Amino acid sequence: MSRLPSSVSTTNSLDGIMAKVRHDFPALQQSVHGKPLVYLDNAASTQKPQSVIDTISHYYAFDYANVHRGIHYLSERATRAYEDAREKVRNFIGASTSREVIFVRGTTEAINLVAQSYGRMHLTEGDEIVITEMEHHSNIVPWQLLCEQIKATLKVIPVNDTGELILEAYERLLGPRTRLVALTHVSNALGTINPVKQIIAMAHAHDARVLLDGAQAAAHIPIDVQDLNCDFYAFSGHKLYGPTGIGALYGKAELLEAMPPYQGGGEMIREVTFEKTTYADIPQKFEAGTPHIVGAIGLGTAVDYLSSIGLMNIGQHEQELLSYATETIGDLPGLRIIGTSPHKTGILSFDLRGIHPHDISTVLDHEGVAVRAGHHCAMPLMGRFGVSATTRASLSVYNNRSDIDTLKGALDKARAFFSL
Ligand code: 7TS
């Protein structure tokens, strides 16, 4: 079951659409500490529209059954809904067949799957994996684990002072032993949108495969895996208005077909004997056990929701808001924005001299403003910018100028409180 957001039926103007989008999100209608909630922690996770909430409760109330096993009516209906969701995700990322879409718990699991399945099969001692200095720990640690297991080496593309990858350094890192390049499409701590098409082409010229971590991209910019020509693409449902515990891994069919299973169990087999087990075709080969059925179906509705507004519209709205936010808070005395690339999504990470980000966010919280403070699971990147943590406001489709004005007012209070 999916509904168009209430916003879309009534107006075509972007401002009009965005003004109404907010009403699709029940969580945004509440107050915290006696102040209207201003939710600016979208890079951590987004709130859910009513259509996603309705889909989830409808499934549990009326359609609930396991998938791919029962011959009974409900099981068939649940299986259809689950596979329809896969098709929606395929369409959302521009894959050529839904066999290339594997449901996983999220970006973290997707990357671990590729590291352990593709990595252990195709890489060997002395091979090299290239990542970047701006990766989330989810795109560092799985490769370190793999490197320890097979004695491969990790190489790191550095970032410049504005928070962009230094492509000349990348070119120098590529060599005959480079087997895999794994990088984020958009940085969660800086907002930088990386020139991934160029980076992929450079890797392919060296016969290396490329995995893109799309956790921070999929809700903000249109994704077309065929146009990008990436080999793997990973993202999480909860960052694009869908449920937690569900995400997708895209992989080129010929790669997935050649890869060994990541986990063994039910669903992923063709035939089991004690002597030898044969495996199901993709994507089932990589979906051992009962999947997060309602999560996938809810993700399908979230994708419908995003598509009904349009990723181009969302991107334009967020860019306008990012400009406004950068102007509004960018020249507060002592405030340094970390991540100043002209190619950014709506992420404002900053350091406010002398105040620990946890203290800032505590003051903001009392003003009803939710942001994230910390290292954002990007500790090496924090070190690169000489900080241990930042305060991060991250925008989404339902934020507006008034949210930014409230953020500014709350930051003024924090500055006064700490006598800055
Ligand atoms: N990659 C990037 C770029 C991310 O931003 C995140 C989560 C992940 C991977 C992991 O995603 P998961 O859904 O598997 O956990 N990033 C953040 C963040 O910035 N704040 O909280 C979570």
Side-chain angles (χ1 to χ4, degrees), residues 1-3 23-28 46-61 241-243 294 297-299 301-302 305:
M1 190 178 78
S2 76
R3 290 190 331 201
H23 300 294
D24 295 328
F25 293 82
L28 300 178
T46 53
Q47 298 299 336
K48 313 305 165 201
Q50 190 63 48
S51 60
V52 169
I53 298 166
D54 288 347
T55 293
I56 293 169
S57 58
H58 183 92
Y59 171 75
Y60 276 130
Y241 315 106
V294 74
I297 297 170
L299 174 58
T301 302
Y305 183 81

Side-chain angles (χ1 to χ4, degrees), residues 167-179:
L167 293 185
E168 301 74 35
Y170 170 50
E171 178 67 63
R172 285 194 297 274
L173 289 180
L174 290 167
R177 298 307 300 265
T178 313
R179 294 281 174 273

Side-chain angles (χ1 to χ4, degrees), residues 61-335:
F62 302 108
D63 290 338
Y64 185 76
N66 210 330
V67 292
H68 296 145
R69 13 200 127 193
I71 303 298
H72 59 83
Y73 179 75
L74 276 190
S75 175
E76 281 175 7
R77 200 156 74 189
T79 303
R80 209 162 36 241
Y82 182 71
E83 292 303 327
D84 281 354
R86 197 190 304 277
E87 172 59 20
K88 288 177 187 182
V89 171
R90 179 208 67 73
N91 185 49
F92 181 64
I93 60 172
S96 62
T97 155
S98 60
R99 296 169 61 244
E100 297 180 320
V101 175
I102 296 160
F103 283 126
V104 287
R105 275 195 298 140
T107 309
T108 302
E109 187 173 53
I111 296 171
N112 278 279
L113 190 163
V114 175
Q116 289 302 310
S117 174
Y118 182 86
R120 290 192 80 146
M121 181 176 204
H122 289 285
L123 276 72
T124 179
E125 185 168 349
D127 282 345
E128 292 167 2
I129 300 164
V130 175
I131 61 170
T132 85
E133 204 173 12
M134 65 169 78
E135 296 311 312
H136 186 280
H137 298 164
S138 295
N139 202 27
I140 301 175
V141 184
W143 306 114
Q144 288 175 324
L145 289 168
L146 175 66
C147 285
E148 279 169 19
Q149 289 158 348
I150 62 167
K151 299 192 174 60
T153 309
L154 208 55
K155 303 266 176 174
V156 182
I157 310 172
V159 304
N160 66 17
D161 289 344
T162 61
E164 292 172 315
L165 296 174
I166 301 173
L167 293 185
E168 301 74 35
Y170 170 50
E171 178 67 63
R172 285 194 297 274
L173 289 180
L174 290 167
R177 298 307 300 265
T178 313
R179 294 281 174 273
L180 221 134
V181 176
L183 80 155
T184 196
H185 195 165
V186 170
S187 159
N188 69 318
L190 306 167
T192 313
I193 304 171
N194 287 318
V196 288
K197 220 172 151 174
Q198 185 184 354
I199 287 171
I200 291 165
M202 288 165 73
H204 285 169
H206 285 80
D207 260 347
R209 298 292 179 184
V210 182
L211 174 141
L212 290 184
D213 171 347
Q216 297 294 342
H220 307 286
I221 47 184
I223 308 299
D224 183 336
V225 291
Q226 291 189 77
D227 180 55
L228 291 171
N229 198 18
C230 56
D231 300 291
F232 299 101
Y233 197 96
F235 68 93
S236 301
H238 70 96
K239 292 186 200 287
L240 50 84
Y241 315 106
T244 52
I246 190 75
L249 170 67
Y250 158 82
K252 285 182 178 165
E254 70 268 23
L255 298 178
L256 294 175
E257 276 160 359
M259 281 159 56
Y262 170 56
Q263 294 182 327
E267 278 291 285
M268 49 74 71
I269 55 91
R270 186 186 306 282
E271 193 182 350
V272 177
T273 67
F274 286 120
E275 288 69 42
K276 182 166 175 54
T277 291
T278 51
Y279 306 123
D281 289 336
I282 59 167
Q284 271 75 33
K285 181 170 71 173
F286 293 105
E287 293 182 4
T290 298
H292 186 6
I293 305 164
V294 74
I297 297 170
L299 174 58
T301 302
V303 162
D304 285 342
Y305 183 81
L306 276 168
S307 307
S308 67
I309 300 170
L311 258 296
M312 297 300 277
N313 286 337
I314 293 170
Q316 192 184 327
H317 168 73
E318 291 175 356
Q319 284 301 318
E320 283 167 13
L321 211 51
L322 174 67
S323 302
Y324 181 67
T326 308
E327 275 164 32
T328 307
I329 68 160
D331 51 10
L332 285 177
L335 189 142

